Amino acid sequence: MAAHSAGPARRGTIYVVGNVNVDLILGVLDRWPRIGTETVLPHSELRAGGQAGNAGLALAALGARHRVVANIGADTLGRWLLEAFPESGADWTRSSAATTITVGIVHPGGERTFLTTVGHLAEFAPRHVFDQLPERCAPGDIVLLCGVFLSPLLVTGGRELLELLRGRGFALALDTGWPNAGWASLRTTVESWLPFIDHVLLNELETTALAGTDNLNAAATWLCERLQPGASLVVKCGPDGAQAWSGAEHLSCPAPAVQVVDTIGAGDVFNACYLHGVVCGRDLRTVLQQAVQAASVAISTSPRRYVVGRE
C-alpha cells in the first residue's frame, strides 16, 4: 500500500447537476385574483435561481469547492445568468431554446407557488453532464443531482446516468424536487435510483409522496430499506427543522424561530451547507444542525445571507 503524503487532506468538490434558470419573485399575494384583472404587488426580485443555481450560489458564499453543471439558453437572459456563475458557466452547454423562467409567487406566511416555462431545461441531457465532469473523481467528490423533473431527458436516462457516475467513483446526492404531474408515474423510476444514492435530500411532502404514505416515519423506513448500507436520508421539515436517518441512527434538529422574508430556495441552501459539511468530514449531527441554521439565516435576510459553515 502506498504511503500517504503529509499535509492537509484535499476536500472534495461538490458538483451540482441540474436546473439553472431565471427566477422572478413576486409577492406578497394573499389570494388569487380574478381572471382578467390586474393586481399590484409590493415586492419583486429578478435573480439567478433554479435548484442547482440556488445551491451553487450558496456554495460559493460558503467558500466550498464546487462546480455547477448545467445548460443555458442562447439568449439575453442566458447571457445574464452566466454572469452569476463565472467559475462554472464557461463549460455549460448552449441550448437553442429560450431560457427557462420561474415565476415564484410568495403568499402570507412564506408559502409559495411556482410557474415555470419549459425553455432550455427540456434539452439538458446526460451527455451534457458527462461532458462537464472529470472522467474520474478525486477523493471526496460528490455529485448532487437536483431539479431533475424539469429536464425529462435526465429522468429517462437517470438510472444510466447514476450508474456511470458511480462507475467514475463519485458519491451521489439526490434532491428530485416536486414532479409537475405528481408521483404516480415516477415513483418506480425514482425508486430504482435509490440504491445508487449516498445522500437523499427531500422535503417532508416529497418524502411521504414518494413512499406513498402520509406517515413520515413509515416513509423514512420505506426509503431507507431501498438505500445502500451507510447511506443517509435527510428530510427537510420547514419551520420544524430537519430529520435524518442513517443506519440505526435517527436525528432531529429543530429550526430557530425567525422572521421569514423569502423561503424560495431554502431547501437548496440547506443542501449546499449539508454537503459542504460532508466534504469537510463533519458528523451527521453537526452537518444537520449547520444546514438548518444556514437555511434559517437565508430565509430571514434580504439581501440573502449565508453565514454558517464557511471556512
Side-chain angles (χ1 to χ4, degrees), residues 84-145:
F85 302 92
E87 296 181 352
S88 302
D91 296 327
W92 290 353
T93 304
R94 270 52 171 182
S95 167
S96 60
T99 295
T100 299
I101 300 173
T102 290
V103 178
I105 307 297
V106 180
H107 305 290
E111 293 299 322
R112 58 272 171 93
T113 301
F114 298 111
L115 306 170
T116 301
T117 62
V118 176
H120 72 279
L121 296 177
E123 297 185 1
F124 192 37
R127 68 179 185 277
H128 303 141
V129 177
F130 299 135
D131 288 345
Q132 296 178 50
L133 289 176
E135 287 293 330
R136 187 71 185 173
C137 79
D141 286 356
I142 297 177
V143 171
L144 167 62
L145 188 63

Side-chain angles (χ1 to χ4, degrees), residues 62-76:
L62 292 168
R65 295 174 60 99
H66 75 285
R67 180 80 58 179
V68 179
V69 177
N71 74 331
I72 198 66
D75 55 15
T76 301

Side-chain angles (χ1 to χ4, degrees), residues 38 52 55 60 69 71 96 98-99 106 109-110 183 204 227 262 271 280 298 302:
E38 182 174 17
V69 177
N71 74 331
S96 60
T99 295
V106 180
W183 284 99
E204 186 170 359
L227 297 175
D262 174 10
N271 294 347
C280 288
S302 182

Side-chain angles (χ1 to χ4, degrees), residues 27-277:
V28 173
L29 180 69
D30 58 355
R31 63 176 60 88
W32 285 108
R34 181 179 177 182
I35 293 176
T37 65
E38 182 174 17
T39 300
V40 177
L41 299 176
H43 172 75
S44 69
E45 183 179 357
L46 185 70
R47 66 193 189 200
Q51 281 190 254
N54 291 330
L57 292 172
L59 287 167
L62 292 168
R65 295 174 60 99
H66 75 285
R67 180 80 58 179
V68 179
V69 177
N71 74 331
I72 198 66
D75 55 15
T76 301
L77 288 176
R79 292 189 291 274
W80 177 76
L81 277 176
L82 288 174
E83 297 176 2
F85 302 92
E87 296 181 352
S88 302
D91 296 327
W92 290 353
T93 304
R94 270 52 171 182
S95 167
S96 60
T99 295
T100 299
I101 300 173
T102 290
V103 178
I105 307 297
V106 180
H107 305 290
E111 293 299 322
R112 58 272 171 93
T113 301
F114 298 111
L115 306 170
T116 301
T117 62
V118 176
H120 72 279
L121 296 177
E123 297 185 1
F124 192 37
R127 68 179 185 277
H128 303 141
V129 177
F130 299 135
D131 288 345
Q132 296 178 50
L133 289 176
E135 287 293 330
R136 187 71 185 173
C137 79
D141 286 356
I142 297 177
V143 171
L144 167 62
L145 188 63
C146 57
V148 292
F149 294 138
L150 294 173
S151 296
L153 297 176
L154 292 185
V155 176
T156 57
R159 185 179 176 88
E160 180 184 8
L161 172 63
L162 294 172
E163 288 177 341
L164 290 173
L165 291 176
R166 178 65 71 188
R168 292 189 183 187
F170 290 100
L172 300 176
L174 175 68
D175 183 351
T176 61
W178 184 265
N180 181 54
W183 284 99
S185 62
L186 291 168
R187 184 174 290 113
T188 301
T189 297
V190 176
E191 182 180 356
S192 74
W193 299 349
L194 296 178
F196 298 96
I197 307 301
D198 300 282
H199 304 275
V200 177
L201 303 161
L202 302 176
N203 66 32
E204 186 170 359
L205 184 57
E206 291 161 351
T207 302
T208 55
L210 173 57
T213 174
D214 293 331
N215 183 281
L216 179 58
N217 286 325
T221 298
W222 186 90
L223 266 77
C224 288
E225 288 173 347
R226 287 154 176 79
L227 297 175
Q228 59 182 311
S232 298
L233 167 65
V234 179
V235 180
K236 296 165 280 187
C237 302
D240 294 324
Q243 297 188 54
W245 290 261
S246 182
E249 189 175 23
H250 176 207
L251 302 174
S252 181
C253 178
V258 297
Q259 184 66 43
V260 175
V261 175
D262 174 10
T263 62
I264 293 175
D268 308 317
V269 175
F270 179 102
N271 294 347
C273 191
Y274 173 90
L275 293 175
H276 180 41

